[in-house]
């Protein structure tokens, strides 16, 4: 997987990616009725979100785990420095939570990684590790949209998915699962109950009215920051490795974007993502 490859810049990942808004953590906090002893964040990457949740909740212990040793190394360095005693990181696959004592995890989160997982194995493992009333929370975001420039929607989609651009470099089926907002990842109702599932498509002409707040991910950034965000994509990193010596596909995309809009490197743009979240409670 690209996130585990040596050339992947996991330091850039932390600064280039959007963060999750505090309103979303409020929604998750309201949903959660279990204890607050242990939270396990699988696929934690460089640990930024794990730190956010440690700050937004009152869990006695927070464990971030990722199967990429490179990601965990970055997370450990950063958070050793932050000296948060209740936060730990380790290398583990999400499908194998045997290192968590059965029935002790009050919440298990999988942020922007569930599409990579063997979802059946993950659910089984999570079910075993969760405590009574424990919450399973998964969410993700995909397909950035420059909200003020609808004319660029097709350019962005072509850059990401055209066969001659980044299209072949996304790992499958993960990318397709995420683009479909995790619709194929069905929560097993023999193991979980009170399932809450909310999708948000930025350009949806007729969004369904819902009692539940969607996960809104927006970020204002400069064009330079948008380029750095593209640098954090697994597909762009895979393209770079396969096309050494060729002129940078990201630069030509940004050039086209600037030509079509008249924007400069310093111009600020509003970027929004399609999102999904699914919360479920361990069946008792
Ligand atoms: C896009 S990053 C998400 C990082 C972080 N959770 C966030 O919200 O920004 C996806 C992470 O999932 C990890 N990952 C992929 N498959 C995994 C698996 N089977 N078990 C654990 N981690 C996995 C990757 O190594 C990568 O760090």
């Amino acid at each position: 997987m690209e996130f585990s490859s040596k050339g992947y810049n996991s330091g850039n990942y932390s600064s280039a990616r959007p963060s999750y808004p505090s309103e979303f953590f409020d929604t998750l906090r309201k949903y959660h009725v279990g204890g607050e002893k242990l939270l396990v964040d699988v696929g934690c990457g460089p640990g930024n979100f794990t730190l956010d949740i440690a700050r937004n909740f009152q869990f006695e212990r927070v464990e971030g785990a990722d199967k990429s040793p490179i990601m965990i190394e970055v997370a450990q360095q950063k958070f050793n420095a932050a000296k948060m005693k209740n936060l730990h990181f380790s290398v583990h696959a999400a499908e194998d939570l045997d290192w968590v004592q059965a029935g002790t995890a009050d919440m298990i989160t999988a942020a922007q990684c569930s599409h990579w997982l063997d979802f059946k194995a993950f659910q089984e493992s999570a079910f075993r590790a969760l405590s009574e009333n424990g919450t399973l929370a998964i969410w993700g975001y995909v397909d950035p949209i420059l909200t003020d420039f609808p004319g660029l929607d097709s350019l962005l989609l072509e850059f990401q998915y055209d066969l001659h651009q980044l299209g072949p470099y996304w790992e499958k089926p993960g990318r397709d699962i995420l683009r479909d907002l995790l619709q194929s990842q069905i929560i097993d109702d023999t193991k979980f109950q009170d399932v809450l599932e909310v999708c948000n498509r930025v350009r949806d002409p007729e969004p369904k009215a819902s009692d539940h707040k969607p996960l809104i991910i927006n970020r204002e950034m400069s064009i330079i920051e948008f380029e750095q965000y593209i640098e954090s994509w697994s597909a762009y990193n895979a393209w770079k490795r396969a096309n050494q010596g060729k002129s940078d596909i990201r630069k030509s995309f940004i050039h086209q974007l600037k030509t079509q809009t008249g924007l400069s490197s310093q111009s600020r743009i509003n970027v929004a993502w399609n999102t999904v979240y699914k919360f479920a409670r361990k069946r008792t």
Side-chain angles (χ1 to χ4, degrees):
M1 146 158 301
E2 200 52 45
F3 292 117
S4 306
S5 74
K6 274 206 169 141
Y8 188 79
N9 183 348
S10 35
N12 175 60
Y13 182 98
S14 306
S15 51
R17 290 288 177 125
S19 52
Y20 308 117
S22 57
E23 291 78 11
F24 175 65
F25 291 127
D26 291 344
T27 308
L28 179 55
R29 200 181 304 107
K30 278 187 199 135
Y31 179 87
H32 182 62
V33 294
E36 293 207 10
K37 285 206 167 77
L38 172 63
L39 176 130
V40 178
D41 180 33
V42 302
C44 69
N48 295 49
F49 156 68
T50 322
L51 182 67
D52 279 354
I53 204 150
R55 287 182 176 140
N56 274 278
F57 288 80
Q58 302 295 323
F59 283 94
E60 284 172 25
R61 185 159 68 96
V62 177
E63 293 281 349
D66 197 288
K67 83 169 186 188
S68 159
I70 294 175
M71 287 289 192
I72 290 300
E73 204 179 307
V74 173
Q76 267 163 350
Q77 282 165 7
K78 219 177 318 164
F79 299 115
N80 282 348
K83 292 201 169 64
M84 292 182 67
K85 285 203 175 78
N86 66 339
L87 182 58
H88 305 98
F89 292 97
S90 57
V91 179
H92 289 289
E95 296 86 347
D96 176 11
L97 294 171
D98 281 356
W99 56 279
V100 179
Q101 195 186 334
T104 62
D106 297 306
M107 187 182 286
I108 296 179
T109 51
Q112 192 65 356
C113 66
S114 142
H115 53 290
W116 300 119
L117 309 182
D118 173 339
F119 198 61
K120 185 169 182 290
F122 169 56
Q123 285 196 84
E124 277 163 12
S125 199
F127 178 76
R128 193 199 62 84
L130 278 168
S131 61
E132 204 172 311
N133 279 321
T135 299
L136 175 67
I138 65 175
W139 65 92
Y141 59 91
V142 71
D143 292 346
I145 286 156
L146 274 58
T147 47
D148 301 326
F149 297 93
L152 288 182
D153 289 1
S154 55
L155 182 75
L156 262 159
L157 285 175
E158 272 167 35
F159 176 52
Q160 292 173 93
Y161 302 112
D162 189 275
L163 269 184
H164 303 290
Q165 299 198 50
L166 295 181
Y169 296 94
W170 294 104
E171 282 163 81
K172 300 288 180 79
R175 188 63 182 188
D176 294 337
I177 294 172
L178 183 59
R179 289 203 74 201
D180 195 30
L181 300 182
L182 310 183
Q183 294 309 290
S184 60
Q185 298 198 318
I186 295 162
I187 304 275
D188 178 351
D189 63 6
T190 64
K191 294 186 167 56
F192 297 96
Q193 59 193 10
D194 305 331
V195 176
L196 176 59
E197 181 176 331
V198 181
C199 294
N200 185 48
R201 289 194 186 269
V202 179
R203 296 279 193 230
D204 194 344
E206 289 171 17
K208 276 195 218 118
S210 166
D211 293 342
H212 304 287
K213 285 189 187 151
L215 165 57
I216 303 284
I217 303 194
N218 287 329
R219 185 167 165 181
E220 196 208 284
M221 55 174 103
S222 67
I223 295 290
I224 292 181
E225 286 165 333
F226 192 63
E227 277 192 73
Q228 286 161 354
Y229 164 60
I230 295 172
E231 199 187 340
S232 78
W233 295 358
S234 58
Y236 171 68
N237 282 272
W239 179 91
K240 248 188 357 190
R241 269 195 299 116
N243 293 278
Q244 284 168 19
K246 284 206 185 149
S247 72
D248 190 339
I249 194 168
R250 177 180 58 148
K251 298 273 175 228
S252 34
F253 164 72
I254 293 290
H255 177 73
Q256 259 181 298
L257 185 154
K258 285 178 177 166
T259 312
Q260 279 196 26
T261 56
L263 296 171
S264 72
S265 298
Q266 273 69 39
S267 303
R268 299 200 72 75
I269 49 172
N270 289 306
V271 183
W273 287 262
N274 295 336
T275 67
V276 57
Y277 67 85
K278 298 188 186 201
F279 299 160
R281 242 184 289 286
K282 180 173 175 166
R283 196 171 267 290
T284 44

